[in-house]
């Protein structure tokens, strides 16, 4: 296992960072955030067509790049650094991992190319949804509601888990929800006689998707932590109070040192979990739960400290600190958090 990126992985990071620096500056993120669907379609096209990142973990025979989860984590870190308004987490992570786990060769190549934007509808605690499936005339329809679907408002196809697995592409309504984080859209989907394609699944498919989602989310969070640390340290060097840069005060130094220490530990946990996703299937569940148990709260603490150390401007709408704060809080709570899952895996509470 390597905790340090090799030259090729560093090059991948540089390419993605340059793309996002050119096409997803803070002003652009805010403009898209306030737009109609909250998705930067042009940036998504560049990510999928220009760099081929949507199918990074998809085998080459299905149209992907055949890379690994360490590489995908690098991309997610960069997207988390910029809060890039693209459906990568929903489509290139949740939907793509589901397609791989279910062996859905019909949709997988289209997800890998970015031609189709996918999403995943499961309960917040990764259980089945209260959605009724009915078979008739050799086909299936769905009735019910998926209350919490990331990028569900723009997804072309949604995988639905109600105990069985289905894929739907039309015949449902979407309602964009008003949530704390304006940089990540979430929608409620209503099914009423919605045509669905049933998919067979092996035992453990949902658990595999859940564990990989935990790793991917941690990558976004580590990227956000890194950006908050950089901007806050830079500000502490130039903001003068009582004739001295605020970074010269011991109280500020200690807070920044704590942020740096947390970031380093989070990055190490992420590298191990991403490596486990590729090379240690048995160890992945514990690695993923451990990573989320630490990274979620650490990311939020870093974002909260970042707002506070920026003083009064950190609380204003015009400053970006609050966007990282909101993303960190919602990500910490996404999928019910990692501490309870880790406790269950370690036998510290009833399953």
């Amino acid at each position: 296992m390597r905790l340090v990126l090799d030259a090729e992985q560093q090059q991948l990071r540089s390419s993605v960072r340059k793309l996002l620096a050119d096409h997803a500056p803070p002003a652009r993120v805010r403009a898209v955030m306030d737009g109609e669907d909250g998705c930067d379609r042009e940036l998504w096209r560049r990510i999928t067509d220009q760099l081929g990142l949507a199918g990074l973990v998809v085998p080459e025979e299905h149209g992907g790049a055949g890379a690994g989860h360490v590489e995908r984590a690098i991309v997610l870190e960069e997207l988390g650094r910029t809060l890039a308004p693209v459906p990568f987490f929903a489509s290139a992570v949740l939907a793509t991992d589901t397609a791989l786990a279910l062996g859905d060769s019909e949709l997988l190549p289209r997800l890998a190319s970015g031609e189709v934007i996918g999403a995943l509808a499961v309960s917040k605690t990764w259980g089945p949804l209260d959605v009724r499936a009915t078979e008739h005339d050799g086909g299936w329809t769905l009735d019910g509601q998926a209350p919490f679907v990331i990028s569900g408002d723009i997804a072309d196809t949604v995988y639905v888990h109600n105990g069985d697995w289905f894929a739907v592409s039309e015949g449902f309504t979407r309602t964009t929800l008003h949530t704390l984080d304006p940089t990540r859209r979430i929608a409620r989907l209503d099914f009423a006689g919605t045509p669905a394609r049933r998919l067979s699944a092996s035992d453990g498919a949902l658990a595999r998707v859940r564990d990989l989602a935990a790793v991917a989310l941690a990558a976004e969070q580590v990227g956000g932590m890194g950006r908050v640390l950089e901007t806050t340290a830079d500000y502490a060097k130039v903001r003068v109070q009582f004739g001295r840069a605020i970074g010269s005060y011991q109280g500020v130094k200690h807070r920044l040192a704590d942020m740096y220490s947390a970031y380093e530990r989070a990055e190490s946990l992420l590298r191990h979990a991403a490596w486990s996703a590729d090379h240690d299937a048995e160890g992945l569940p514990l690695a993923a739960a451990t990573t989320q148990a630490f990274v979620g709260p650490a990311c939020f603490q870093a974002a909260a400290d970042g707002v506070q150390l920026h003083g009064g401007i950190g609380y204003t709408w015009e400053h970006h600190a609050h966007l990282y704060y909101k993303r960190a809080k919602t990500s910490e709570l996404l999928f019910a958090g990692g501490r309870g899952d880790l406790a269950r895996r370690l036998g510290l509470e009833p399953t």
Side-chain angles (χ1 to χ4, degrees), residues 232 235 246 255 301-312 314-315 321 325:
T232 307
Y235 181 74
I246 63 172
R255 296 280 285 278
Q301 186 62 53
D305 287 345
V307 169
Q308 192 168 33
L309 290 175
H310 273 86
Y315 291 89
Y325 179 93

Side-chain angles (χ1 to χ4, degrees), residues 9-330:
Q9 291 164 341
Q10 292 283 8
Q11 186 175 7
L12 171 63
R13 180 191 293 284
S14 298
S15 298
V16 178
R17 186 168 294 188
K18 183 178 187 312
L19 175 74
L20 296 176
D22 292 342
H23 300 285
R28 176 63 179 167
V29 172
R30 282 178 175 265
V32 175
M33 180 182 80
D34 294 331
E36 183 177 353
D37 64 10
C39 175
D40 190 335
R41 303 277 180 174
E42 179 60 23
L43 177 60
W44 180 243
R45 187 190 65 76
R46 292 179 184 277
I47 287 174
T48 56
D49 294 352
Q50 184 175 324
L51 297 183
L53 299 178
L56 209 52
V57 299
V58 176
E60 293 181 13
E61 60 265 31
H62 294 295
H69 290 85
V70 174
E71 287 75 16
R72 189 171 72 175
I74 292 169
V75 175
L76 285 156
E77 284 180 71
E78 296 306 311
L79 295 172
R81 277 179 58 88
T82 56
L83 303 176
V86 291
F88 192 91
F89 185 76
S91 189
V93 175
L94 297 177
T96 297
D97 289 346
T98 303
L100 283 167
L102 301 180
D104 186 6
S105 58
E106 178 177 327
L107 193 56
L108 191 54
R110 302 175 71 196
L111 287 168
S113 68
E115 173 192 350
V116 165
I117 294 175
L120 173 63
V122 294
S123 76
K124 190 176 179 181
T125 56
W126 287 95
L129 292 166
D130 185 19
V131 173
R132 186 176 69 258
T134 305
E135 183 178 19
H136 48 80
D137 299 330
W140 292 83
T141 59
L142 300 183
D143 294 274
Q145 188 179 89
F148 186 75
V149 181
I150 299 171
S151 299
D153 54 337
I154 60 170
D156 301 303
T157 296
V158 181
Y159 285 111
V160 181
H161 176 63
N162 71 342
D164 295 318
W165 285 97
F166 296 89
V168 299
S169 301
E170 59 182 0
F172 59 92
T173 59
R174 319 156 189 260
T175 304
T176 302
L177 304 179
H178 180 70
T179 62
L180 174 67
D181 177 14
T183 66
R184 184 172 358 236
R185 297 283 178 96
I186 293 174
R188 186 188 71 233
L189 308 184
D190 290 282
F191 307 109
T194 301
R197 179 167 58 94
R198 188 179 184 187
L199 297 158
S200 59
S202 59
D203 292 341
L206 181 62
R208 170 77 177 173
V209 175
R210 178 200 59 201
D211 293 336
L212 294 178
V215 178
L217 184 62
E220 272 195 3
Q221 291 166 315
V222 168
M225 288 178 72
R227 185 59 181 160
V228 168
L229 175 61
E230 288 176 7
T231 55
T232 307
D234 288 344
Y235 181 74
K237 295 174 186 173
V238 300
R239 176 71 171 95
V240 175
Q241 188 66 280
F242 304 115
R244 296 167 52 185
I246 63 172
S248 67
Y249 291 102
Q250 194 173 48
V252 175
K253 287 180 182 177
H254 285 178
R255 296 280 285 278
L256 288 169
D258 288 343
M259 289 171 66
Y260 178 75
S261 174
Y263 171 75
E264 287 287 302
R265 284 178 284 164
E267 186 180 35
S268 296
L269 285 167
L270 170 63
R271 296 279 174 264
H272 174 252
W275 175 87
S276 299
D278 287 327
H279 303 288
D280 183 14
E282 290 187 4
L284 174 62
L286 183 58
T290 303
T291 301
Q292 265 306 313
F294 179 81
V295 175
C299 179
F300 176 68
Q301 186 62 53
D305 287 345
V307 169
Q308 192 168 33
L309 290 175
H310 273 86
I313 65 168
Y315 291 89
T316 61
W317 175 257
E318 290 76 12
H319 200 276
H320 305 308
H322 74 93
L323 295 179
Y324 288 89
Y325 179 93
K326 292 169 180 173
R327 170 64 73 88
K329 175 48 70 179
T330 56

